[in-house]
Amino acid sequence: MKGDKGTSAPHNQQLRALLFTDLCDSLQLVERIGDVAAAELFQQHDRLVLGLQQRWNGQLIDRSDGLFVLFERTIDGVGFALAYQTAVEALGRERGIVLRARAGLHVGDVLLWNNSAEAMAHGAKPVEVEGLAKPMAARLMQLAWPGQVLLSATAEQMARRATSTLPWASEALRWKHHGRWRFKGITERQDVFEIGLRGSAPLRRPRSGEKAWRDLPLWRRPAAVVTEAALAVTLGVLLWMLLRPAPAIAFAERDWVILAAVQNTTAYPQLDSSLEQALYISLGQSRFVNILSELKVRDTLQLMQRSPQARLDRGLAIEVALRDGARAVLVPSVLELNGKVRVSVEVVDPRSGQTVYTRYADGRGLESILTSTDHVVAALRADLGEALRDVGRDQRPLPTVATANLDALHAYAKGVDATAAARYDDALMFYEQATRLDPAFAFAYVGQMTIQHAKGNLEQAAVLYRKAVSQRAHLTARDQLYLDAWAADFAGAPPMRIADKWRLLTELYPDDPAGWMNYAKILYTQGDYDGALAATQPLLARQHSRRALVLVFVARVQLARGEVAAAEAALRGARLHPGWNGDGMEPVIAALAGDFEAANAGFAAMPVSGPGTRMLRAAVLAMQERAHEAATDMRQVAAQCTTVGGLCDIYALQALAWREQEGDHVTAQEYLRVLDRALAAVDRRHPAPARRNAFIALAAAYHAARAGHASVVMQRRDPLQALPERDADPRLRELWNLLRARMAFDQGDLDQAQDLLAQQPSANLFQWRVLQLDLVTARGDQAAVARQAAWLQRHAGLAFAEDTGDYALLPLNAMDVQRLAAGRAAAVMPDKSTVAAP
């Protein structure tokens, strides 16, 4: 093409989103600020373009004072355009100038081919792009005002369906329809749309020019023409209503449909692709439906473990429609009948598999097929614009995970819904059913794994992880990356290395909520509450099924930061979601405010009481001088616990702590039994459970030291000291130093205690702050006492929100909060004389 013998042969047509942008008044800008400043500005501009290109998966085709970028997904083009507008304006503000860009986005088929090295050496671009879609996108850009992003109808339809993947909240997006326009060289009228961000989008009618102008409606034309047209339309409508048979199906605006392969019974197989292409293009112009793209269909086929090139016959198209939530399947056919060639399209309800209605047209000879196709499409486009009757509206996409079994996928979807509603036992049941139906269903094992991990059953979670990994070959690249992050967790990698794995998932797939959520959780367990809160922002900027769980997590982070009002606001947002079952932090906040009646009612109203909620309830009971009830409850759950180590030891440890508070004498031997069980459970062959059990062992030793049984710690000093030395988790080192500092303090060696605390200035365990308060109290530094006590009172929520060690330190935290609230900051610790080490 173009006579360039140095180019490779063009590829087949490919559907792409084409974005043109233009940096407005760039020539005047250079004149105003000078060549040197302009060169520096454009270099900075190019760097931001490169960053946006990588973030939004764009392929840069050409660049001067404007850009030409291709995208496989329309929504990526929209995200790039909006982010580019914002970045360009910010770049201008930094330099005290007004810098704005305009953009046009269209979706269509293009031809792509690569230029040879020789051609590029003479100034050719690496990639050439041709096709009608290219001037369409350029025309849209030329129509736009500075700061304006214009879209074609096709681009707008595709983008509207995927706005939840954008990092902006739906309320921040502004859409506007600017009517129909005529473009030079294109016969059909084109609808033009605008998208922008609240407060910055112009939302004004585009400017007309020689290459594009508004298609004025009839009411803007001379009155005589309007009168004649009105009479003709009235007569036509009456005849149409009288004579036209009512269709059995119709579609609401922007429903999705899928186009099956042509059923061709003629002797001309070449009709297949041409008829499919004609239907795809013609129906794609409908303002009432979107046709599922070939790229999306190929992705779904891959998840079904079918070849991406598999022929989309009626049955396969129906299954794809069910998985992707398409409203209907269009099944085209062409056959010879009594000397005629019939072109028809069936409209199929994917849920029942039944044909709802058919539209067809007859002709003679191959030359009639194009005309017949136009007639069929015209009839369909008319029918698709009416109110829907025979196809239900409750169809929604199934999860995009790999399984060949549709029933297993339905069970998995039920598990996802139950997880989002915090009905974890139900979710586990559905995930297990999914693996019974499809033993090779990797992500159904992942679903079970995440629930067992959240419950603290890390050994079971590790077994399920290995089952998921055994099916790795069936997974997409994204899902394999997801499992790689879990691999780092189960291998006992340093926490920040695990966090980096999750961050990599967010960088490559920013629309994947799992990456952001797990990245935030790692930061949270390490005490980086600001970082955890920042990592949740992309999840809060969009609507998704697990938004209530995200809001609950945000509430815990805010509580740890001392932002009680923000935590309450997040929980109010979670309550608005269907299936909300409450969260233990709601009654905790009420208890911290002194409203124990509301706190008790909150716990009683919760239909599900998991391990964490039960521990929080015990802590709130103890805050009401009901430590006996708290101890009894923890003894009961410890007696019923069947697993080795882990939660069973935490229950037993908490029962001892609450007995201690109610005044019951707890012997050193009782603490030693819990400590020995936790140490015995530190199995280095299983790094993740080993890390958790190591923290429980150190927590048990700290409980014993707080209860005045330093002898317990000294008897097991060597195995305790080995725990942080064998594991790279900084929280183990923090708790070991805290334990040593507490024992030094109890022995009266305040300087050693202070030196040990100073070794980790960034430590942020609640107990770390408590010991600092004890130290300044013992030294008589009243100003420091006031500062530390004020910090602890302001961050009382941290005592309940910190998740390190699965609430192993919760009883001690709650006791200290209670004493602080009573105004006895100087006596945070029980009055013990110096305890000498044996």
Side-chain angles (χ1 to χ4, degrees):
M1 295 188 97
K2 291 191 175 181
D4 181 7
K5 295 181 181 179
T7 61
S8 61
H11 298 177
N12 293 328
Q13 282 192 333
Q14 300 180 41
L15 189 68
R16 290 289 187 271
L18 299 87
L19 177 71
F20 278 90
T21 72
D22 175 48
L23 206 56
C24 301
D25 301 325
S26 56
L27 182 59
Q28 293 89 328
L29 175 66
V30 174
E31 292 177 349
R32 188 163 65 250
I33 67 175
D35 291 340
V36 175
E40 184 183 345
L41 172 65
F42 289 132
Q43 286 176 354
Q44 191 173 353
H45 169 268
D46 290 347
R47 286 194 294 271
L48 78 85
V49 168
L50 178 60
L52 292 174
Q53 180 189 343
Q54 293 171 343
R55 178 183 179 187
W56 296 101
N57 307 308
Q59 180 182 4
L60 186 62
I61 303 299
D62 201 2
R63 173 175 59 193
S64 57
D65 55 351
L67 305 173
F68 175 24
V69 193
L70 292 187
F71 301 88
E72 289 193 3
R73 300 196 317 158
T74 307
I75 197 62
D76 285 337
V78 171
F80 181 100
L82 294 177
Y84 177 69
Q85 295 275 27
T86 303
V88 163
E89 291 180 18
L91 187 60
R93 285 195 299 272
E94 290 175 7
R95 297 171 175 267
I97 58 176
V98 176
L99 198 61
R100 307 196 76 184
R102 51 183 178 162
L105 182 70
H106 177 54
V107 177
D109 288 317
V110 292
L111 289 172
L112 299 175
W113 70 92
N114 297 322
N115 280 317
S116 65
E118 180 184 359
M120 287 189 286
H122 288 82
K125 300 187 294 290
V127 179
E128 294 286 354
V129 179
E130 290 298 338
L132 183 60
K134 182 177 176 181
M136 274 284 295
R139 296 279 194 276
L140 285 166
M141 182 270 289
Q142 292 162 359
L143 282 178
W145 293 99
Q148 194 169 43
V149 179
L150 297 182
L151 295 81
S152 66
T154 308
E156 184 265 349
Q157 290 168 7
M158 292 184 175
R160 280 263 197 178
R161 302 290 296 200
T163 52
S164 61
T165 64
L166 291 173
W168 299 279
S170 57
E171 309 87 58
L173 297 177
R174 287 291 176 266
W175 297 85
K176 187 172 180 63
H177 182 207
H178 290 300
R180 292 196 165 187
W181 292 67
R182 288 194 178 276
F183 291 178
K184 186 177 181 180
I186 299 174
T187 56
E188 289 195 16
R189 294 173 297 174
Q190 304 294 325
D191 283 277
V192 174
F193 294 83
E194 178 182 353
I195 184 174
L197 299 176
R198 181 200 292 268
S200 63
L203 299 178
R204 59 185 295 195
R205 181 193 306 161
R207 48 189 181 184
S208 297
E210 292 183 0
K211 296 185 178 181
W213 56 92
R214 289 191 70 206
D215 184 50
L216 294 177
L218 290 175
W219 60 269
R220 296 285 300 275
R221 298 180 184 179
V225 176
V226 173
T227 303
E228 292 174 8
L231 290 173
V233 169
T234 302
L235 179 60
V237 169
L238 289 173
L239 290 173
W240 178 77
M241 293 180 66
L242 290 171
L243 301 177
R244 175 185 176 275
I249 181 176
F251 289 79
E253 188 171 1
R254 295 190 180 87
D255 283 318
W256 286 89
V257 298
I258 183 170
L259 188 62
V262 174
Q263 298 178 357
N264 182 4
T265 61
T266 70
Y268 307 100
Q270 65 268 30
L271 292 177
D272 292 4
S273 59
S274 57
L275 185 56
E276 284 180 26
Q277 189 72 6
L279 287 168
Y280 192 95
I281 293 173
S282 298
L283 287 173
Q285 300 300 318
S286 169
R287 54 187 290 265
F288 295 101
V289 297
N290 298 307
I291 298 180
L292 214 61
S293 72
E294 294 178 4
L295 182 63
K296 176 60 178 171
V297 171
R298 286 199 299 269
D299 289 344
T300 303
L301 289 172
Q302 183 179 0
L303 293 173
M304 294 167 62
Q305 299 170 18
R306 300 287 296 268
S307 168
Q309 285 74 43
R311 189 173 184 275
L312 206 64
D313 59 21
R314 181 190 182 107
L316 190 56
I318 286 175
E319 183 168 351
V320 172
L322 289 171
R323 288 172 178 261
D324 289 335
R327 190 76 177 283
V329 177
L330 306 182
V331 183
S333 63
V334 56
L335 68 156
E336 291 181 281
L337 185 68
N338 298 326
K340 298 179 180 179
V341 178
R342 171 169 291 182
V343 176
S344 65
V345 176
E346 297 177 63
V347 179
V348 179
D349 185 340
R351 294 175 304 165
S352 65
Q354 300 298 312
T355 298
V356 181
Y357 67 80
T358 304
R359 290 289 175 264
Y360 66 88
D362 293 336
R364 291 191 178 277
L366 289 179
E367 64 276 6
S368 69
I369 289 179
L370 188 57
T371 303
S372 296
T373 301
D374 287 342
H375 288 318
V376 171
V377 169
L380 279 174
R381 288 173 65 173
D383 295 343
L384 298 179
E386 298 184 353
L388 182 66
R389 289 197 295 273
D390 291 349
V391 174
R393 292 196 60 84
D394 57 352
Q395 184 69 20
R396 61 170 178 160
L398 292 170
T400 53
V401 289
T403 175
N405 190 305
L406 186 59
D407 290 333
L409 185 59
H410 278 293
Y412 179 86
K414 292 279 189 182
V416 170
D417 291 342
T419 302
R423 294 185 288 108
Y424 299 116
D425 291 339
D426 289 347
L428 200 57
M429 175 185 67
F430 287 124
Y431 290 141
E432 289 171 347
Q433 174 64 10
T435 52
R436 280 192 289 270
L437 293 168
D438 180 6
F441 194 169
F443 256 71
Y445 292 118
V446 169
Q448 298 173 53
M449 175 198 77
T450 55
I451 291 177
Q452 296 292 5
H453 194 280
K455 286 185 171 184
N457 301 324
L458 302 191
E459 293 82 359
Q460 288 178 261
V463 171
L464 291 162
Y465 165 76
R466 289 192 288 272
K467 288 184 178 180
V469 169
S470 70
Q471 305 300 326
R472 182 184 178 91
H474 296 155
L475 299 178
T476 63
R478 176 193 299 211
D479 292 342
Q480 289 183 14
L481 193 60
Y482 177 88
L483 281 184
D484 288 345
W486 276 108
D489 189 297
F490 285 112
M496 293 316 297
R497 188 179 303 168
I498 302 172
D500 286 340
K501 289 286 187 181
W502 289 117
R503 186 171 58 83
L504 176 62
L505 185 63
T506 68
E507 293 287 341
L508 295 177
Y509 303 100
D511 60 330
D512 192 327
W516 291 109
M517 193 65 201
N518 287 303
Y519 177 53
K521 283 183 176 179
I522 295 293
L523 299 179
Y524 176 73
T525 58
Q526 293 301 303
D528 183 1
Y529 302 119
D530 292 342
L533 186 62
T536 62
Q537 297 312 299
L539 296 172
L540 295 177
R542 64 189 71 161
Q543 293 294 329
H544 48 84
S545 62
R546 302 197 181 193
R547 185 176 176 84
L549 296 181
V550 176
L551 287 167
V552 167
F553 176 74
V554 168
R556 290 171 183 263
V557 176
Q558 295 286 25
L559 205 57
R561 286 159 43 94
E563 303 289 342
V564 178
E568 290 179 311
L571 289 170
R572 282 197 300 272
R575 287 190 214 111
L576 300 176
H577 288 260
W580 169 251
N581 288 316
D583 182 75
M585 282 300 156
E586 289 186 294
V588 164
I589 291 174
L592 289 172
D595 190 348
F596 292 111
E597 183 178 352
N600 295 333
F603 280 120
M606 293 178 63
V608 180
S609 182
T613 300
R614 200 155 183 177
M615 293 179 199
L616 290 172
R617 178 178 175 275
V620 171
L621 286 173
M623 291 173 69
Q624 303 171 64
E625 308 298 334
R626 298 165 65 183
H628 175 73
E629 295 177 52
T632 301
D633 190 40
M634 289 297 102
R635 276 200 302 267
Q636 288 177 351
V637 292
Q640 296 165 1
C641 192
T642 57
T643 60
V644 177
L647 282 176
C648 298
D649 290 335
I650 294 174
Y651 290 141
L653 185 60
Q654 294 207 9
L656 296 180
W658 297 131
R659 281 176 53 198
E660 190 79 36
Q661 188 187 19
E662 68 173 314
D664 188 7
H665 177 64
V666 180
T667 66
Q669 195 62 31
E670 290 178 279
Y671 281 106
L672 188 60
R673 279 198 293 268
V674 177
L675 173 57
D676 284 344
R677 282 201 306 269
L679 287 171
V682 180
D683 185 348
R684 296 294 170 188
R685 294 171 300 175
H686 306 291
R691 175 174 290 171
R692 189 268 308 273
N693 290 319
F695 197 96
I696 295 171
L698 287 168
Y702 190 75
H703 273 269
R706 283 283 304 258
H709 300 300
S711 60
V712 171
V713 181
M714 298 309 298
Q715 289 178 57
R716 299 293 183 266
R717 181 182 179 89
D718 290 343
L720 286 170
Q721 184 173 355
L723 296 177
E725 292 175 353
R726 295 175 182 174
D727 196 300
D729 190 338
R731 278 297 173 102
L732 290 174
R733 173 63 58 185
E734 182 177 340
L735 186 51
W736 169 243
N737 285 338
L738 177 63
L739 173 61
R740 295 165 63 202
R742 169 55 64 188
M743 293 178 63
F745 174 81
D746 288 345
Q747 293 167 0
D749 192 342
L750 304 187
D751 291 337
Q752 184 184 3
Q754 186 61 55
D755 289 343
L756 287 167
L757 291 182
Q759 290 181 16
Q760 288 183 270
S762 61
N764 51 20
L765 283 172
F766 192 80
Q767 284 300 306
W768 195 276
R769 287 280 187 166
V770 168
L771 183 51
Q772 287 179 323
L773 176 60
D774 291 344
L775 275 169
V776 294
T777 301
R779 293 184 186 279
D781 187 345
Q782 294 305 313
V785 168
R787 286 195 302 272
Q788 289 291 348
W791 191 96
L792 285 165
Q793 289 169 339
R794 189 169 63 253
H795 291 82
L798 175 62
F800 299 86
E802 68 179 12
D803 194 32
T804 308
D806 296 317
Y807 291 126
L809 297 174
L810 175 61
L812 299 177
N813 290 351
M815 293 177 197
D816 294 334
V817 167
Q818 190 176 9
R819 294 187 182 99
L820 282 165
R824 297 196 296 270
V828 170
M829 291 299 304
D831 184 18
K832 299 185 181 73
S833 57
T834 299
V835 181

